[in-house]
Amino acid sequence: MTLISKIDENNIDKQEIKKQAEILKNGNTVIFPTETVYGLGANALDNIAAAKIYAAKGRPSDNPLIVHIYDKKQVDELATDISEKAYTIMDKFWPGPITIILKKKDIVPNITSGGLDTVGIRMPSNPIAKELLKEVNLPIAAPSANISGRPSPTKGKHVYNEMNNRVDGIILGGDCTFGLESTVVDLTNDIPTILRPGSVTKEDLESIIGQVNIDPALEKKEDNIKAKAPGMKYKHYSPNADVYIVSGNINDVIKKINELSNNNAKEGLKCAVMCLDKNKNKYKCNTIVLGRNLEEVASNLFNALITADEEKYDIVYTEEFSNCGVGRAIMNRLLKSAGYKIIKV
Ligand code: TXA
Ligand code: MG
């Protein structure tokens, strides 16, 4: 049985938080909202508790977990060799959607670090997550709360539908604001490297700590096997539909998608296009509107992929977005959900 707590982030019910914190203290699993996506949490320092996360997600155990904290002081308990740049990032962006990779201390078990000698740490800003982490007063490992390979959940109904009865507690706390997982940045070398793009961008980081690299493995399918964030190498964000990115000048893209979807319809296939609001009336097939700007697209993307499943589309075409700023995070997730299938026009 899963204990379900509905909590309003503007009027937090402390009693419900206490009940869910108790579950975590007892070495069991609780799903909670964060500002990025919902997380599936358990005590990061307890082998057996962390193993329950992998079991609930059906996730390979060489994939490290992000450890969530509520107070910067907890970083010293978990990590060592913390650079000035790391402190600068914590001061500027925490609490918020960025995970830092540091050299781990022995207290962090191998199951949490996926066998690596490093640990990913993040301090979320969502008020419910903060309150829960404070109440439980333990570092909480929490990957996104989806079954491995599926889009990350950004709404209460997503976690409830997918994870009810797979975990011990679920906090339903409304929609996640950013909608894409945190930026992951490796700070174990002199020049920081982004291992997963998110809403804190390369440009944001460079404005405070100078040069930042992007893991070259991120951009290409073949290279993903070598990706430094092991989570990036697995099949990811995949709806049941076949997803294709259509790339080129927007007028050509629209023409191509109308042509393809017309042919698909003749073959009895149900298709849709994920597009910007301003283009929705130019398509002859069904549309799933992603938003009016990149921030809205980021926040709606996973919901759109889940909607594609609910509406049982066979094929989903998507417009392409610019690969800079938050667009980089959007294209990273889109490429994965499309299995790197791009139609160039
Ligand atoms: O926004 C988020 O980060 C969400 C919420 C719940 O906080 N969590 C999340 O966790 O997205 P997960 O497990 O789905 O993704 C973690 C990513 C994976 O790609 C993993 O390989 C990478 O971070 N990662 C974690 N620890 C790492 C480490 N020590 N070294 C390299 N990559 C690491
Ligand atoms: Mg994930």
Side-chain angles (χ1 to χ4, degrees):
M1 270 288 284
T2 303
L3 176 74
I4 310 282
S5 304
K6 225 176 176 165
I7 300 183
D8 175 358
E9 69 171 44
N10 298 312
N11 181 18
I12 294 180
D13 182 338
K14 298 247 167 87
Q15 278 317 108
E16 285 302 309
I17 292 280
K18 276 210 167 89
K19 286 188 211 159
Q20 297 285 356
E22 212 47 46
I23 295 177
L24 289 170
K25 285 184 198 166
N26 289 333
N28 292 314
T29 49
V30 171
I31 292 179
F32 58 95
T34 83
E35 68 279 18
T36 56
V37 299
Y38 274 81
L40 196 173
N43 183 353
L45 305 182
D46 174 345
N47 282 302
I48 299 169
K52 290 179 186 170
I53 296 179
Y54 290 106
K57 279 182 67 85
R59 171 169 176 157
S61 60
D62 68 337
N63 197 349
L65 305 171
I66 293 176
V67 179
H68 295 65
I69 58 171
Y70 70 94
D71 189 324
K72 283 179 207 151
K73 282 190 220 125
Q74 293 171 282
V75 175
D76 297 316
E77 293 165 25
L78 301 166
T80 175
D81 300 353
I82 306 165
S83 64
E84 270 314 305
K85 287 178 186 171
Y87 284 112
T88 308
I89 291 176
M90 291 183 227
D91 287 342
K92 171 86 183 177
F93 295 109
W94 277 4
I98 184 161
T99 297
I100 58 175
I101 307 289
L102 299 169
K103 196 162 185 318
K104 84 172 183 76
K105 282 190 173 167
D106 290 342
I107 190 177
V108 179
N110 276 332
I111 184 154
T112 297
S113 66
L116 300 174
D117 60 1
T118 53
V119 59
I121 309 177
R122 159 163 134 75
M123 189 196 289
S125 63
N126 176 288
I128 296 171
K130 274 163 89 174
E131 198 63 39
L132 179 72
L133 291 166
K134 195 166 164 200
E135 179 64 36
V136 70
N137 198 23
L138 286 166
I140 296 296
S144 49
N146 50 286
I147 306 255
S148 199
R150 302 272 309 148
S152 304
T154 56
K155 290 177 179 290
K157 69 168 189 192
H158 300 160
V159 272
Y160 185 81
N161 292 345
E162 191 158 308
M163 302 304 275
N164 188 26
N165 290 328
R166 293 182 74 99
V167 290
D168 302 296
I170 296 181
I171 301 180
L172 299 174
D175 296 351
C176 303
T177 19
F178 290 107
L180 295 181
E181 306 90 340
S182 62
T183 306
V184 176
V185 59
D186 182 352
L187 294 168
T188 59
N189 295 308
D190 282 348
I191 300 179
T193 304
I194 293 179
L195 306 185
R196 179 175 71 184
S199 60
V200 175
T201 63
K202 174 175 152 76
E203 295 79 3
D204 293 336
L205 288 170
E206 286 189 328
S207 70
I208 58 160
I209 52 166
Q211 189 188 342
V212 171
N213 292 335
I214 297 214
D215 182 359
L218 283 185
E219 314 281 319
K220 290 202 205 97
K221 182 181 184 182
E222 314 80 69
D223 287 355
N224 254 253
I225 313 297
K226 295 179 234 145
K228 292 207 187 69
M232 305 309 275
K233 78 184 177 197
Y234 299 107
K235 183 167 179 264
H236 238 99
Y237 312 120
S238 309
N240 297 322
D242 234 355
V243 180
Y244 295 88
I245 298 172
V246 185
S247 157
N249 167 302
I250 188 64
N251 292 325
D252 298 338
V253 165
I254 293 168
K255 201 168 145 222
K256 185 74 183 175
I257 291 177
N258 281 335
E259 220 173 271
L260 290 167
S261 59
N262 188 34
N263 292 340
N264 296 144
K266 284 184 197 150
E267 293 160 20
L269 296 169
K270 195 175 169 198
C271 33
V273 54
M274 300 201 295
C275 62
L276 284 175
D277 185 64
K278 64 176 183 196
N279 298 331
K280 69 176 181 236
N281 295 327
K282 300 178 187 156
Y283 290 101
K284 294 184 189 133
C285 58
N286 295 315
T287 53
I288 303 175
V289 173
L290 291 172
R292 287 165 301 182
N293 52 46
L294 289 184
E295 279 66 34
E296 287 186 8
V297 173
S299 131
N300 292 328
L301 181 61
F302 290 142
N303 185 43
L305 292 170
I306 293 168
T307 304
D309 274 351
E310 286 167 355
E311 298 183 0
K312 300 199 165 44
Y313 289 113
D314 301 303
I315 298 183
V316 172
Y317 298 104
T318 174
E319 294 176 351
E320 182 186 45
F321 301 94
S322 92
N323 203 17
C324 56
V326 69
R328 192 186 292 278
I330 295 168
M331 284 312 296
N332 170 264
R333 305 320 190 267
L334 270 182
L335 276 164
K336 284 173 174 292
S337 65
Y340 297 83
K341 296 192 297 298
I342 304 178
I343 298 170
K344 291 204 193 297
V345 291

